[in-house]
Amino acid sequence: MNKPVVIHWFRKGLRLHDNPALLSALEKVGESHYELRPVFILDPWFVKHARVGPNRWRFLIQSLQDLDNNLKKIGSRLFVVKGSPLEGFKKLFKEWNVKKLTFEVDIEPYAKIRDEEIKQLAEKHSVTVITKVSHTIYDLEQVFKANGNKAPLTYVKFQSVVAKFGTPEKALDAPGNLPKQCQTLLLSEDYNVPLLEEMRVDLTGLGKELFPGGESEALIRLNKYMNQQEWVCKFSKPDTSPNSIEPSTTVLSPYLKFGCLSSRLMYHRIHDVIAGRKHTSPPTSLTGQLLWREFYYTCGAYVPNFDRMEGNPICKQIPWKKDPEDKHYLAWKDGKTGYPFIDAIMTQLRTEGWIHHLARHAVACFLTRGDLWVSWELGQQVFEELLLDADWSLNAGNWMWLSASAFFHQYFRVYSPIAFGKKTDKHGDYIKKYLPVLKKFPSEYIYEPWKAPLSVQQKAGCIIGKDYPKRIVEHEIAVKENLAKMKEAYQGHKEEGPEKEIAKRKKAPSKDSSPKITKFLKKK
Ligand code: FAD
């Protein structure tokens, strides 16, 4: 009989540090250890059909390569198994003498179903299954229970619930050199991490690689930011910029999404930095950002149909346009709306895979209630494909927020696709970087090139309507029409609507509401 084996199944949680399920795979059983076989399952169906752009494939493969290297350093390796999880485990349970299976809890609905299937299969093969919570700081089931078996639906409520739990437990260390009996003996190349070329991932069209995947890179990036004590203490999200040339926030999101970085480690590192010093507080502080993540994760775990409008009890039912061939939607997706701020953001998203939070606000508002009246679900799909950090709960939750479908109800606060970007980038350097066709445009017209006289366009070498699109809608008109439609949709939900708030203000929404937004953002 082959040596008894324990499989640690990596899905998210692509790291060695703070990985309680991996550590439990290494625990002694009686007097001895099992041989460790860390597995990642790459489903060919997923490779072909999932909404994952080339940037995120690259990030994932790099993360797996890094994981494999780090495992090799401690006497193990990664086994990449091709097939569906069910087929994969059927094969492994047959071929290897598997006694134990460990993995991290995943709250996403499809993952819960998948994991249940694997648990049942394991039971049939007398394989013990151990699961641990480590993708989030808090155990979301505990949050749910502590809130009377409901997801807390506001950030403040969420904070009050988790306050009862006290300080989160410290992050665990990565395992050191494995005891001899745990070390991985099977060296077959059949299970090597595939190369991007083998997967036929087409990288043409991508920009410079700015955020390589993997735990090693995540820890370097975390250290880089945590070494900037003053920056961490003063961090306040609304004061960061959507259109700076260098990112004004950490860009740790892709690493948190794939679990290359533990959120618990990040939480404690921030707290070590701010301890005993004057610092900002949630919701705007850096800790506050991590709590937004926990908040949306809890909602995602417990609100039915969280990623769609229909059947989602917290989502306003709004008659959005839902045609994936809609020409306005396609123009938005391709960065061809004729609004340079919007198009620059969408170009950064497609080529680099990360955009600032407020840039996400601007394009999400533009697509939905601001200008184009297109469903947030279609916007969510584009983000799902193109973001390096595409994260099921966070993506859905934030899209609902921005479209004023849930969580946020002041639908009359609309971002101007012209004035908002100007506040932090008067001369449009960001636009010029991502839309070089406009690089010779004078600052005066860079946010509204359609206003430039023909002579100016000729001098800049860019004719609007020929070299760069004419704007697809007139913001001033679209915003008024959409506000009326939002009002109507909200009237169908009087009990939750912002009518009282509107009555208090007794003011028509201004054409350009971005100054008001700054005030509101101070709260976020
Ligand atoms: P930092 O400001 O450095 O924050 C640190 C971490 O806190 C982030 O990495 C992230 O994990 C968490 N965080 C910050 N802001 C939020 C937030 N509003 N909600 C939840 N968690 C937050 N974030 C994703 O990670 N994946 C997504 O798919 C995603 N989709 C979004 C869609 C829309 C329409 C909007 C408006 C926001 C979305 N966000 C998403 C949230 C946010 O924009 C990103 O988390 C953030 O910009 C990542 O950059 P950062 O790591 O530099 O953030």
Side-chain angles (χ1 to χ4, degrees), residues 311-326:
N312 177 342
I314 66 163
C315 183
K316 293 238 182 289
Q317 304 297 303
I318 298 173
W320 307 110
K321 288 195 282 175
K322 278 193 169 176
D323 176 8
E325 298 304 320
D326 179 89

Side-chain angles (χ1 to χ4, degrees), residues 231 235 237 240 247-254 256-257 266 285-294 296 354-362 364 383-384 387 389-402 524:
W231 185 84
F235 183 96
K237 192 67 166 265
T240 60
S248 60
T249 55
T250 64
V251 196
L252 284 168
S253 49
L256 288 164
K257 178 247 149 71
M266 180 168 170
S285 63
L286 216 40
T287 307
Q289 303 314 299
L290 285 179
L291 295 184
W292 281 111
R293 179 176 182 270
E294 301 283 311
Y296 285 125
W354 179 89
I355 50 176
H356 185 276
H357 182 58
L358 296 177
R360 300 181 199 209
H361 274 223
F383 272 28
E384 185 186 338
L387 277 173
D389 62 32
D391 198 326
W392 188 81
S393 308
L394 273 47
N395 202 16
N398 277 288
W399 269 100
M400 279 190 271
W401 177 296
L402 259 301
K524 209 183 172 200

Side-chain angles (χ1 to χ4, degrees), residues 335-355:
K336 290 190 175 136
T337 65
Y339 284 93
F341 181 52
I342 301 298
D343 295 343
I345 297 170
M346 294 306 288
T347 306
Q348 184 187 15
L349 173 62
R350 187 169 291 280
T351 53
E352 296 178 1
W354 179 89
I355 50 176

Side-chain angles (χ1 to χ4, degrees), residues 6-9 11 19-29 34 99-105 119 122 127-133:
V6 50
I7 294 180
H8 175 73
W9 181 17
R11 302 99 64 83
N19 194 334
L22 174 66
L23 292 180
S24 69
L26 299 173
E27 275 164 15
K28 265 189 174 173
V29 188
Y34 294 144
K99 297 286 180 204
K100 195 161 96 172
L101 170 67
T102 65
F103 56 86
E104 181 182 67
V105 170
K119 279 182 188 167
V127 174
T128 309
V129 175
I130 296 177
T131 63
K132 300 276 179 186
V133 172

Side-chain angles (χ1 to χ4, degrees), residues 92-120:
L92 296 183
F93 289 164
K94 234 196 247 158
E95 291 177 8
W96 298 351
N97 183 18
V98 183
K99 297 286 180 204
K100 195 161 96 172
L101 170 67
T102 65
F103 56 86
E104 181 182 67
V105 170
D106 192 330
I107 58 86
E108 292 179 21
Y110 89 93
K112 279 189 190 163
I113 297 169
R114 172 199 66 194
D115 293 352
E116 219 29 68
E117 266 180 5
I118 299 304
K119 279 182 188 167
Q120 284 171 16

